[in-house]
Amino acid sequence: MVEEDADITEKAELEEDGYSLSARVLSAILYAVDTGDRAKLIELMEPLHAADIADMLEQVNAYDRRRLILLYGEEFDGEILSELDEGIRDEVIHVLRPEVLAEAVRDMESDDVVDLVEDLDEAAQEAILASLEDADRVAVEKSLSYPEFSAGRLMQREVVMGPEHWTVGQAIDFMREAEELPEDFYHMVLIDPKMHPVGHVTLGKILGAPRSQPLIELLEPGFRTFRVDESETDVAYAFNQYHMISAPVVDENDRVVGVITIDDAMNVLDEEHEEDIMRLAGVGEGSLADRVSDTVKQRLPWLAVNLVTAILASMVIAQFEDTIARFVALAVLMPIVASMGGNAGTQALTVAVRAIATRDLTGANVWRVIRREVLVGLANGLVFAVIMGAVGILWFGSPALGAVIGAAMVINLVIAGLAGIGVPVLLERVGVDPALASGAFVTTVTDVVGFFAFLGLAGVVLL
Amino acid sequence: MVEEDADITEKAELEEDGYSLSARVLSAILYAVDTGDRAKLIELMEPLHAADIADMLEQVNAYDRRRLILLYGEEFDGEILSELDEGIRDEVIHVLRPEVLAEAVRDMESDDVVDLVEDLDEAAQEAILASLEDADRVAVEKSLSYPEFSAGRLMQREVVMGPEHWTVGQAIDFMREAEELPEDFYHMVLIDPKMHPVGHVTLGKILGAPRSQPLIELLEPGFRTFRVDESETDVAYAFNQYHMISAPVVDENDRVVGVITIDDAMNVLDEEHEEDIMRLAGVGEGSLADRVSDTVKQRLPWLAVNLVTAILASMVIAQFEDTIARFVALAVLMPIVASMGGNAGTQALTVAVRAIATRDLTGANVWRVIRREVLVGLANGLVFAVIMGAVGILWFGSPALGAVIGAAMVINLVIAGLAGIGVPVLLERVGVDPALASGAFVTTVTDVVGFFAFLGLAGVVLL
């Protein structure tokens, strides 16, 4: 009953914003599946965008998903596969009848097929490659020969290009006579006789210029190319930094072999952001669509690392068992010092990780940034030292205890600022992703320093 | 000395990746500033992209920044202003001589001016508006009349459109005769006599079709428009979900008043990702370019919230002072239970916050997701219960203590999964950004439950 009420509330919200699938449509679709009413199912799914169908498939359970796909049959479109989360995609490919899969994939552009097959298990990969026509299969296999996460994998192979001496009129005639132009393209690339890129012209400029004008006079400023083996991270950074729309990809001989467009770069940027967030939180590649057992496997290692960290901190506490036995108030207050240090460290570390990712933190300013974080830690530490000093006095009636916790707070927040910047910078230098590993290190530092400073000072001052 | 070594290492890295500014160029620029060598400065800056100049200005200190800008003089370009971080932008605008500022802004497109002035303080805003020509100022003021973060603010006002009955030839002639076409445009929008949008045609399709073909036959499928008052979040979501390149913006009477392009949407998406990361970490709008005092002010409130959380947890511990006094081992082990709960909660909460942002967590699957998280918590809890049980026995020689910590671990990880999903979902329902506030709530729950379960069970079992 509760579930039903929630659905009703949600329905109103979703229909209001107009993008997500409405709960009403979803219920109708599931009802059609229950009753095996194929005509109704097709009628309901017809207006939906492939991306929304993919989202729906991710949101229903595996049993409904299977029945829905089987009933939908050959209507199943290749684009839906492209839009699915990786975990679900494997499952769906195995549910699809081979002839439906073959048909779905045959309509896709070659770079979408690459994107689809590169993450599949081998059996599914072969099933898809086998269903392609020869020319397409060769193209896909060529793309797969480039390293993973490279510009070569990201690019589409169809490039609209022309010789550098062409005029606007020649370019237009060429495009009119072309048998098939790519679905999305934004520039004509000019090349010299050796296929080296000379520059590119936007379609808008071609359309706005007289037929007799040489294309070379319309070249865009700030033209850039990428090498096939360049990392997709660098490509995405350049697109974002320089507001690019498309750029050619060249091979080791500087010959044009493909083109990357902004939507590809946007996908990469999106995935990397997501990865950073997930890694900072200690979640591997988590997705709601994963099975419980997969999620447990993803999260367990991070919790295990945290356990080691926590045990280290406990060992520090164990050194002060006698002190604690005489002043139990210390046990009550000690988590506060550690917790504040952990939070301040996480703040500094998140800013540092993002600044490294966006290349705002470099050799030119690293020392100034470290100095800044230490000062921030000092200032915040002094504020909370005063507050906690007061708490110590008011709660436990002990000025000495107040002084101890205040001093420990200042020490731990300064160290938190230092570790928060220092750890990700050092990890980056040794080639480890700072988003991945910084959290555990910083928390270890702030826990150990927090407990040691507080209990150690207490041992000296109070005993 | 240390700083210099670091710079040398960094230089090699930066030059290798080829995007960030090399340390060598930066030193040369600062040397030119030191010696007041304007010709050299201009020569060094000339090849740099505005985005790279902006990054450089963010990385040097305020003193060098001021001297550099004054020496650079009227070479200063409006695009550099667009690329600067907000905090630094205000400062730079006040350093620029009024006539340089006026000149810099006059060359910008109107939507860039809007983006520039909307975040400025009033004095700087007026200085810029005053420097615009009348027509431009009216356009900018019109855009500023739309609500902040709306499609109306995001759009550019120059739209390439034509009547629905035009042929390809008429469209090309129109564009050739246009006095000025927008810098970036990807579609021609077709409108009916009342200015209502009928659909749009890609420039590629126009270029590839014969002159006699009616444009209406070349319309793109999946055409969408946005209303001026729609939120930029919804716009960015739609661009990402449906792989859009550009879309017209319509007013309340469904008349075309502007167009939004993918680079605008990409910016919004980028900012929102960044905001989510920063909010999850309890960092307001942190940037490395902020002053120490600003950073302290941004982070202090989050640490204060955490302090309240930590004190609440301490109050729970205080209820068990007698138990701890008799078993100091409890003080040693109790942070482990709380820490593991906090980590597991953060994992679940991060997945939930992202799933809400990407609209993958909806009324259709919320109950299944909650069930899933509880099961994940249970499974992980059982694993760590066994491990910690063993630690309790091996370290403290007490099977009873091992059983207590194991049971507390299971309880806390289940609660962590429940709170990790439940808190962000509830916050979303009551209209609070889950990224902003979930962390504090979830940690409070896991700290309180962790200490209460562990110490409470210990009180019952061990005494």
Side-chain angles (χ1 to χ4, degrees):
Chain A
M1 288 310 287
V2 178
E3 188 160 352
E4 218 170 276
D5 286 347
D7 276 351
I8 289 165
T9 323
E10 193 66 19
K11 181 167 72 181
E13 282 167 29
L14 291 179
E15 286 179 350
E16 197 187 345
D17 83 9
Y19 292 112
S20 310
L21 194 64
S22 82
R24 196 173 44 77
V25 172
L26 181 57
S27 309
I29 287 173
L30 291 178
Y31 183 75
V33 170
D34 281 336
T35 54
D37 186 347
R38 180 146 193 270
K40 185 73 190 168
L41 178 69
I42 292 173
E43 181 198 323
L44 285 163
M45 304 265 281
E46 200 277 320
L48 299 180
H49 189 282
D52 292 328
I53 295 178
D55 282 353
M56 179 188 66
L57 289 173
E58 287 162 15
Q59 284 173 27
V60 302
N61 62 41
Y63 175 70
D64 286 341
R65 188 156 52 229
R66 187 189 162 79
R67 292 191 308 157
L68 195 159
I69 291 168
L70 290 176
L71 188 64
Y72 199 42
E74 60 261 29
E75 296 291 317
F76 198 95
D77 192 79
E79 216 186 318
I80 304 173
L81 283 179
S82 293
E83 301 283 349
L84 279 173
D85 258 16
E86 284 171 35
I88 299 278
R89 208 192 264 172
D90 260 2
E91 182 197 311
V92 169
I93 284 174
H94 288 109
V95 172
L96 287 172
R97 289 199 312 271
E99 66 274 20
V100 175
L101 180 64
E103 187 55 40
V105 173
R106 213 168 292 142
D107 293 340
M108 293 167 72
E109 307 245 323
S110 75
D111 65 323
D112 289 333
V113 179
V114 171
D115 188 43
L116 179 65
V117 300
E118 65 181 356
D119 304 314
L120 293 179
D121 60 41
E122 220 169 300
Q125 204 173 71
E126 273 169 27
I128 285 188
L129 286 178
S131 72
L132 291 175
E133 280 160 37
D134 284 352
D136 289 340
R137 187 172 55 248
V138 171
V140 169
E141 281 168 347
K142 173 77 185 149
S143 289
L144 287 173
S145 73
Y146 296 118
E148 240 190 313
F149 311 117
S150 68
R153 285 276 181 106
L154 205 59
M155 72 188 188
Q156 58 195 56
R157 305 180 64 81
E158 304 85 3
V159 190
V160 177
M161 41 191 173
E164 52 188 324
H165 57 75
W166 269 7
T167 61
V168 166
Q170 284 172 300
I172 293 180
D173 293 340
F174 164 78
M175 287 190 259
R176 285 210 185 119
E177 281 154 30
E179 212 165 285
E180 198 182 15
L181 288 168
E183 193 61 38
D184 303 304
F185 73 108
Y186 312 103
H187 294 103
M188 173 173 256
V189 180
L190 298 191
I191 48 171
D192 71 12
K194 288 179 167 165
M195 290 277 287
H196 299 169
V198 174
H200 64 187
V201 184
T202 67
L203 302 187
K205 285 266 167 60
I206 295 177
L207 281 165
R211 279 186 68 91
S212 58
Q213 184 153 23
L215 290 175
I216 202 94
E217 293 173 5
L218 299 172
L219 289 186
E220 282 295 289
F223 176 69
R224 278 159 205 278
T225 61
F226 298 100
R227 275 187 49 139
V228 276
D229 56 357
E230 221 164 320
S231 82
E232 59 173 28
T233 306
D234 286 348
V235 172
Y237 174 79
F239 266 83
N240 199 24
Q241 175 85 345
Y242 304 121
H243 311 295
M244 299 162 71
I245 291 293
S246 84
V249 178
V250 296
D251 66 11
E252 58 277 15
N253 301 315
D254 197 33
R255 283 186 311 217
V256 177
V257 290
V259 64
I260 293 177
T261 50
I262 186 173
D263 50 315
D264 304 317
M266 197 165 164
N267 269 342
V268 173
L269 216 61
D270 208 40
E271 277 167 25
E272 290 186 348
H273 261 118
E274 201 68 21
E275 202 177 75
D276 264 8
I277 296 185
M278 293 302 174
R279 286 180 169 186
L280 279 168
V283 191
E285 308 220 314
S287 145
L288 290 182
D290 295 336
R291 273 172 309 187
V292 170
S293 57
D294 291 334
T295 305
V296 170
K297 267 183 248 159
Q298 280 156 14
R299 298 198 193 160
L300 206 78
W302 303 84
L303 291 174
V305 169
N306 182 62
L307 182 65
V308 173
T309 299
I311 289 179
L312 273 175
S314 289
M315 287 174 167
V316 174
I317 301 173
Q319 304 306 309
F320 298 95
E321 278 196 31
D322 297 343
T323 318
I324 293 172
R326 291 178 57 186
F327 281 91
V328 181
L330 296 179
V332 174
L333 291 175
M334 69 186 186
I336 297 179
V337 180
S339 159
M340 292 296 282
N343 257 267
T346 303
Q347 290 180 332
L349 127 76
T350 304
V351 172
V353 166
R354 289 306 305 157
I356 289 171
T358 58
R359 310 190 195 193
D360 289 330
L361 179 55
T362 65
N365 62 347
V366 65
W367 291 102
R368 199 146 33 79
V369 169
I370 289 176
R371 190 176 137 266
R372 204 182 75 101
E373 284 298 330
V374 168
L375 287 176
V376 169
L378 187 65
N380 277 329
L382 288 171
V383 171
F384 289 106
V386 171
I387 296 174
M388 280 313 296
V391 169
I393 295 168
L394 293 174
W395 191 353
F396 294 94
S398 162
L401 185 60
V404 165
I405 195 165
M409 191 72 90
V410 173
I411 292 170
N412 208 18
L413 292 203
V414 168
I415 295 294
L418 203 57
I421 293 290
V423 167
V425 167
L426 287 176
L427 287 175
E428 160 80 3
R429 294 254 162 124
V430 299
V432 176
D433 179 0
L436 192 68
S438 295
F441 282 108
V442 171
T443 319
T444 307
V445 170
T446 54
D447 275 2
V448 166
V449 170
F451 290 130
F452 192 83
F454 179 56
L455 298 174
L457 282 173
V460 175
V461 174
L462 301 179
L463 295 187
Chain B
M1 287 312 285
V2 179
E3 187 159 353
E4 220 169 272
D5 286 349
D7 277 350
I8 289 166
T9 324
E10 192 68 18
K11 181 168 72 180
E13 283 168 29
L14 291 179
E15 285 177 351
E16 196 187 344
D17 82 10
Y19 293 112
S20 311
L21 194 63
S22 82
R24 195 174 42 78
V25 173
L26 181 56
S27 309
I29 286 174
L30 291 178
Y31 183 75
V33 170
D34 280 337
T35 54
D37 186 346
R38 179 145 194 273
K40 185 74 189 165
L41 179 68
I42 291 172
E43 181 199 324
L44 285 163
M45 303 265 281
E46 202 275 321
L48 299 180
H49 188 282
D52 292 328
I53 296 179
D55 283 354
M56 179 189 66
L57 288 173
E58 286 162 15
Q59 285 173 27
V60 302
N61 62 41
Y63 175 69
D64 286 342
R65 188 154 54 228
R66 187 189 163 79
R67 292 190 309 157
L68 194 159
I69 291 168
L70 291 176
L71 188 64
Y72 199 43
E74 60 261 29
E75 297 291 317
F76 197 95
D77 193 79
E79 216 186 318
I80 304 172
L81 282 180
S82 294
E83 301 284 348
L84 279 172
D85 258 16
E86 285 172 33
I88 298 278
R89 206 192 266 171
D90 260 2
E91 182 197 311
V92 169
I93 283 174
H94 288 110
V95 171
L96 286 171
R97 288 199 312 272
E99 66 274 18
V100 174
L101 180 62
E103 188 55 39
V105 173
R106 214 169 290 144
D107 293 339
M108 294 167 71
E109 306 245 323
S110 74
D111 64 323
D112 289 333
V113 179
V114 171
D115 189 42
L116 178 66
V117 300
E118 64 181 358
D119 303 315
L120 293 178
D121 60 40
E122 221 168 299
Q125 202 173 73
E126 273 169 27
I128 286 188
L129 286 178
S131 72
L132 292 174
E133 281 162 35
D134 284 353
D136 288 340
R137 187 172 54 247
V138 171
V140 170
E141 282 169 346
K142 174 77 185 152
S143 289
L144 287 173
S145 73
Y146 296 119
E148 240 188 313
F149 311 117
S150 68
R153 285 276 181 104
L154 205 59
M155 71 189 187
Q156 59 195 55
R157 305 180 64 80
E158 304 86 4
V159 190
V160 178
M161 42 189 173
E164 52 188 324
H165 57 75
W166 269 8
T167 62
V168 166
Q170 284 172 300
I172 293 180
D173 293 341
F174 164 78
M175 287 190 258
R176 284 211 185 120
E177 282 154 29
E179 213 164 284
E180 197 182 17
L181 288 168
E183 193 61 37
D184 303 304
F185 74 108
Y186 312 102
H187 294 101
M188 172 172 257
V189 180
L190 298 191
I191 48 171
D192 70 12
K194 288 179 169 166
M195 293 275 287
H196 299 170
V198 174
H200 64 187
V201 184
T202 67
L203 301 187
K205 286 265 167 60
I206 295 176
L207 281 164
R211 278 185 68 91
S212 59
Q213 185 154 21
L215 291 175
I216 203 93
E217 293 174 4
L218 299 171
L219 290 186
E220 281 295 289
F223 176 68
R224 276 158 207 280
T225 61
F226 298 101
R227 276 188 49 140
V228 276
D229 55 357
E230 221 164 321
S231 82
E232 59 174 27
T233 304
D234 286 348
V235 172
Y237 173 80
F239 266 83
N240 198 26
Q241 174 85 345
Y242 305 121
H243 312 295
M244 300 162 70
I245 291 292
S246 84
V249 178
V250 296
D251 65 11
E252 59 278 14
N253 302 315
D254 196 32
R255 283 186 312 218
V256 176
V257 291
V259 64
I260 293 177
T261 49
I262 186 173
D263 50 315
D264 305 316
M266 198 165 164
N267 268 342
V268 173
L269 216 61
D270 208 41
E271 278 166 26
E272 290 185 349
H273 261 118
E274 201 68 22
E275 201 178 76
D276 265 10
I277 296 185
M278 293 302 173
R279 286 181 170 187
L280 280 168
V283 191
E285 308 220 316
S287 146
L288 290 182
D290 295 336
R291 275 171 308 187
V292 170
S293 57
D294 291 334
T295 305
V296 170
K297 266 182 247 160
Q298 280 156 14
R299 298 199 193 161
L300 206 77
W302 303 84
L303 291 174
V305 169
N306 182 61
L307 182 65
V308 173
T309 299
I311 289 179
L312 273 175
S314 289
M315 286 174 169
V316 173
I317 301 174
Q319 304 305 309
F320 298 94
E321 278 196 31
D322 297 342
T323 317
I324 294 171
R326 292 177 58 184
F327 282 91
V328 180
L330 297 179
V332 174
L333 291 174
M334 69 185 185
I336 297 178
V337 179
S339 159
M340 293 296 281
N343 256 267
T346 303
Q347 291 179 331
L349 127 77
T350 303
V351 172
V353 166
R354 288 308 304 158
I356 290 171
T358 57
R359 310 190 194 192
D360 289 331
L361 179 55
T362 65
N365 62 346
V366 65
W367 291 101
R368 199 146 32 79
V369 169
I370 289 176
R371 189 175 137 267
R372 204 182 74 102
E373 284 298 331
V374 168
L375 288 176
V376 169
L378 187 65
N380 277 329
L382 289 171
V383 171
F384 289 105
V386 171
I387 296 174
M388 280 312 297
V391 168
I393 295 168
L394 294 174
W395 192 353
F396 294 94
S398 163
L401 185 61
V404 165
I405 196 166
M409 192 72 90
V410 173
I411 292 169
N412 208 19
L413 291 204
V414 169
I415 295 293
L418 204 57
I421 293 290
V423 168
V425 167
L426 286 177
L427 287 175
E428 160 80 2
R429 293 254 163 123
V430 299
V432 176
D433 179 359
L436 192 68
S438 296
F441 283 108
V442 172
T443 321
T444 306
V445 170
T446 54
D447 275 2
V448 167
V449 170
F451 290 130
F452 192 83
F454 179 55
L455 297 175
L457 282 174
V460 174
V461 174
L462 301 179
L463 294 188

